[in-house]
Amino acid sequence: MQRRNDLRILVEGAIFAGLAMALEYVPHDLGVSSVQFSYGLIPLGVYSLRRGPVPGMLAGLVWGLLDMWLRGSGSLLNPVQIILEYPVAFGVVGLIGLAAPYVQHHIQAGNIKRAVFGAVGGFIIGDFLKYLCHYFAGVFFWGSYAPKGQSAWLYSLVINGGSFIANLIMGVVVFALLVRVTPQLLTRNLE
Protein backbone atom coordinates (compact mmCIF):
# COMPACT_ATOMS: atom_id res chain seq x y z
CA MET A 1 0.00 0.00 0.00
CA GLN A 2 2.90 2.37 0.77
CA ARG A 3 4.36 1.87 -2.74
CA ARG A 4 1.01 2.76 -4.26
CA ASN A 5 0.84 5.94 -2.17
CA ASP A 6 4.43 6.86 -3.11
CA LEU A 7 3.61 6.36 -6.78
CA ARG A 8 0.52 8.55 -6.39
CA ILE A 9 2.62 11.32 -4.83
CA LEU A 10 5.18 11.12 -7.66
CA VAL A 11 2.53 11.14 -10.38
CA GLU A 12 0.78 14.06 -8.69
CA GLY A 13 4.12 15.88 -8.53
CA ALA A 14 4.75 15.29 -12.23
CA ILE A 15 1.28 16.62 -13.07
CA PHE A 16 1.79 19.76 -10.97
CA ALA A 17 5.29 20.30 -12.43
CA GLY A 18 3.84 19.95 -15.93
CA LEU A 19 1.08 22.41 -15.08
CA ALA A 20 3.65 24.85 -13.71
CA MET A 21 5.63 24.52 -16.94
CA ALA A 22 2.54 24.96 -19.11
CA LEU A 23 1.73 28.19 -17.27
CA GLU A 24 5.15 29.56 -18.24
CA TYR A 25 3.80 29.85 -21.79
CA VAL A 26 1.02 32.22 -20.70
CA PRO A 27 2.18 35.79 -21.42
CA HIS A 28 3.67 37.00 -18.17
CA ASP A 29 5.46 40.29 -18.76
CA LEU A 30 4.08 43.15 -16.69
CA GLY A 31 4.98 45.74 -19.30
CA VAL A 32 8.33 46.56 -17.81
CA SER A 33 10.80 44.18 -19.43
CA SER A 34 12.31 43.04 -16.15
CA VAL A 35 9.06 42.32 -14.29
CA GLN A 36 7.57 38.93 -15.04
CA PHE A 37 4.94 36.85 -13.33
CA SER A 38 5.77 33.20 -12.78
CA TYR A 39 2.32 31.60 -12.71
CA GLY A 40 3.89 28.18 -12.15
CA LEU A 41 4.56 29.19 -8.54
CA ILE A 42 0.86 28.67 -7.80
CA PRO A 43 0.46 24.98 -8.76
CA LEU A 44 3.85 24.16 -7.30
CA GLY A 45 2.84 25.93 -4.08
CA VAL A 46 -0.42 23.98 -3.93
CA TYR A 47 1.43 20.70 -4.42
CA SER A 48 4.05 21.62 -1.81
CA LEU A 49 1.36 22.53 0.73
CA ARG A 50 -0.39 19.21 0.02
CA ARG A 51 2.66 16.95 0.15
CA GLY A 52 5.40 18.78 2.03
CA PRO A 53 8.82 20.20 1.20
CA VAL A 54 10.64 17.13 -0.17
CA PRO A 55 8.05 16.18 -2.81
CA GLY A 56 7.61 19.91 -3.49
CA MET A 57 11.34 20.37 -4.09
CA LEU A 58 11.42 17.34 -6.41
CA ALA A 59 8.50 18.73 -8.42
CA GLY A 60 10.27 22.12 -8.49
CA LEU A 61 13.42 20.41 -9.76
CA VAL A 62 11.41 18.81 -12.58
CA TRP A 63 9.81 22.17 -13.39
CA GLY A 64 13.24 23.84 -13.46
CA LEU A 65 14.71 21.20 -15.75
CA LEU A 66 11.71 21.45 -18.08
CA ASP A 67 12.03 25.24 -18.13
CA MET A 68 15.73 24.98 -18.89
CA TRP A 69 15.26 22.51 -21.74
CA LEU A 70 12.16 24.09 -23.26
CA ARG A 71 12.70 27.83 -22.74
CA GLY A 72 16.19 28.50 -21.44
CA SER A 73 18.32 28.12 -24.55
CA GLY A 74 19.13 31.83 -24.77
CA SER A 75 20.03 32.21 -21.11
CA LEU A 76 22.49 29.39 -20.50
CA LEU A 77 25.91 30.90 -19.79
CA ASN A 78 27.93 28.30 -17.88
CA PRO A 79 27.31 25.20 -15.74
CA VAL A 80 27.22 27.04 -12.39
CA GLN A 81 24.73 29.63 -13.67
CA ILE A 82 22.59 26.89 -15.22
CA ILE A 83 22.45 24.90 -11.97
CA LEU A 84 21.73 27.99 -9.86
CA GLU A 85 18.99 29.44 -12.06
CA TYR A 86 17.17 26.27 -13.03
CA PRO A 87 17.32 23.20 -10.75
CA VAL A 88 18.22 25.13 -7.58
CA ALA A 89 16.02 28.21 -8.05
CA PHE A 90 12.97 26.21 -9.09
CA GLY A 91 13.66 23.43 -6.57
CA VAL A 92 13.70 25.75 -3.56
CA VAL A 93 10.15 26.81 -4.43
CA GLY A 94 9.14 23.45 -2.95
CA LEU A 95 10.16 24.78 0.47
CA ILE A 96 6.72 26.35 0.50
CA GLY A 97 5.89 22.91 1.85
CA LEU A 98 7.60 23.71 5.15
CA ALA A 99 4.26 25.28 6.07
CA ALA A 100 2.28 22.18 5.06
CA PRO A 101 1.80 20.64 8.54
CA TYR A 102 0.77 24.01 9.99
CA VAL A 103 -1.66 24.76 7.15
CA GLN A 104 -3.19 21.28 7.13
CA HIS A 105 -3.59 21.25 10.90
CA HIS A 106 -5.42 24.58 10.92
CA ILE A 107 -7.60 23.64 7.94
CA GLN A 108 -8.68 20.45 9.73
CA ALA A 109 -9.27 22.43 12.93
CA GLY A 110 -11.40 24.93 11.01
CA ASN A 111 -9.12 27.87 11.79
CA ILE A 112 -9.02 29.36 8.30
CA LYS A 113 -7.26 32.61 9.31
CA ARG A 114 -4.26 30.72 10.65
CA ALA A 115 -4.28 28.42 7.61
CA VAL A 116 -4.18 31.50 5.36
CA PHE A 117 -1.31 32.89 7.43
CA GLY A 118 0.62 29.63 7.06
CA ALA A 119 -0.01 29.27 3.32
CA VAL A 120 0.97 32.88 2.65
CA GLY A 121 4.04 32.52 4.88
CA GLY A 122 5.11 29.38 3.05
CA PHE A 123 4.64 31.10 -0.29
CA ILE A 124 6.75 34.05 0.85
CA ILE A 125 9.58 31.65 1.78
CA GLY A 126 9.52 29.83 -1.57
CA ASP A 127 9.18 33.00 -3.63
CA PHE A 128 11.99 34.75 -1.74
CA LEU A 129 14.40 31.83 -2.07
CA LYS A 130 13.71 31.46 -5.80
CA TYR A 131 14.43 35.10 -6.47
CA LEU A 132 17.44 35.06 -4.14
CA CYS A 133 18.96 32.45 -6.46
CA HIS A 134 18.13 34.60 -9.49
CA TYR A 135 19.55 37.65 -7.69
CA PHE A 136 22.93 36.00 -7.09
CA ALA A 137 22.98 34.67 -10.65
CA GLY A 138 22.26 38.23 -11.79
CA VAL A 139 25.15 39.60 -9.76
CA PHE A 140 27.75 37.02 -10.72
CA PHE A 141 26.73 36.01 -14.24
CA TRP A 142 24.55 38.76 -15.71
CA GLY A 143 26.20 41.77 -14.05
CA SER A 144 28.11 42.63 -17.22
CA TYR A 145 24.77 43.76 -18.71
CA ALA A 146 24.39 46.46 -16.06
CA PRO A 147 24.33 50.03 -17.40
CA LYS A 148 27.70 51.70 -17.31
CA GLY A 149 28.42 53.00 -13.82
CA GLN A 150 25.80 50.84 -12.07
CA SER A 151 26.97 48.03 -9.81
CA ALA A 152 25.99 44.47 -10.63
CA TRP A 153 24.44 44.19 -7.15
CA LEU A 154 22.03 47.07 -7.77
CA TYR A 155 21.34 45.99 -11.34
CA SER A 156 20.35 42.48 -10.24
CA LEU A 157 18.23 43.87 -7.40
CA VAL A 158 16.29 46.07 -9.83
CA ILE A 159 15.90 43.36 -12.47
CA ASN A 160 14.94 40.52 -10.10
CA GLY A 161 13.32 42.58 -7.35
CA GLY A 162 10.39 43.67 -9.51
CA SER A 163 9.55 40.08 -10.40
CA PHE A 164 9.89 39.03 -6.76
CA ILE A 165 7.44 41.71 -5.60
CA ALA A 166 4.97 41.06 -8.44
CA ASN A 167 4.96 37.33 -7.71
CA LEU A 168 4.75 37.96 -3.99
CA ILE A 169 1.58 40.02 -4.42
CA MET A 170 0.10 37.45 -6.81
CA GLY A 171 0.87 34.57 -4.44
CA VAL A 172 -0.45 36.28 -1.33
CA VAL A 173 -3.76 37.07 -3.06
CA VAL A 174 -4.15 33.65 -4.70
CA PHE A 175 -3.26 31.59 -1.62
CA ALA A 176 -5.45 33.70 0.65
CA LEU A 177 -8.34 33.00 -1.74
CA LEU A 178 -7.50 29.31 -2.21
CA VAL A 179 -7.44 28.61 1.52
CA ARG A 180 -10.75 30.42 2.03
CA VAL A 181 -12.59 29.08 -1.02
CA THR A 182 -11.20 25.57 -1.44
CA PRO A 183 -9.17 24.52 1.61
CA GLN A 184 -9.58 20.82 0.75
CA LEU A 185 -7.24 21.41 -2.22
CA LEU A 186 -4.38 21.85 0.25
CA THR A 187 -5.00 18.71 2.26
CA ARG A 188 -3.83 15.18 1.54
CA ASN A 189 -7.28 13.68 1.99
CA LEU A 190 -8.32 13.90 -1.66
CA GLU A 191 -7.35 10.25 -2.24
Side-chain angles (χ1 to χ4, degrees):
M1 189 62 156
Q2 179 62 30
R3 294 179 105 193
R4 184 174 180 208
N5 194 38
D6 290 346
L7 179 61
R8 181 177 294 177
I9 291 169
L10 288 174
V11 169
E12 187 179 313
I15 291 169
F16 276 92
L19 178 58
M21 186 62 227
L23 288 173
E24 290 298 304
Y25 289 102
V26 173
H28 56 278
D29 290 343
L30 192 58
V32 179
S33 64
S34 65
V35 178
Q36 297 180 340
F37 284 104
S38 183
Y39 302 122
L41 289 168
I42 302 304
L44 200 74
V46 168
Y47 177 69
S48 298
L49 288 172
R50 283 175 53 79
R51 298 298 182 181
V54 174
M57 289 176 69
L58 290 173
L61 173 70
V62 170
W63 176 30
L65 292 173
L66 285 171
D67 194 62
M68 178 184 69
W69 287 324
L70 297 174
R71 296 180 354 112
S73 61
S75 59
L76 304 177
L77 300 176
N78 65 52
V80 176
Q81 177 265 336
I82 292 168
I83 291 168
L84 181 60
E85 286 209 278
Y86 291 98
V88 174
F90 286 80
V92 296
V93 172
L95 291 174
I96 293 170
L98 290 172
Y102 182 87
V103 171
Q104 291 178 13
H105 169 76
H106 286 292
I107 286 173
Q108 291 170 349
N111 191 340
I112 297 301
K113 285 184 181 180
R114 286 189 183 221
V116 166
F117 174 76
V120 166
F123 184 83
I124 290 169
I125 290 169
D127 185 39
F128 175 75
L129 292 174
K130 181 180 190 299
Y131 284 98
L132 188 63
C133 292
H134 291 305
Y135 172 75
F136 284 121
V139 169
F140 298 115
F141 303 107
W142 298 100
S144 61
Y145 293 94
K148 189 172 181 157
Q150 186 178 49
S151 76
W153 296 92
L154 180 60
Y155 174 72
S156 186
L157 181 64
V158 170
I159 295 295
N160 292 300
S163 294
F164 164 69
I165 291 170
N167 284 296
L168 181 69
I169 293 167
M170 174 188 68
V172 166
V173 170
V174 169
F175 277 97
L177 289 172
L178 279 177
V179 173
R180 290 182 188 284
V181 174
T182 179
Q184 67 276 12
L185 183 63
L186 303 175
T187 63
R188 300 175 195 207
N189 299 330
L190 293 176
E191 320 297 323

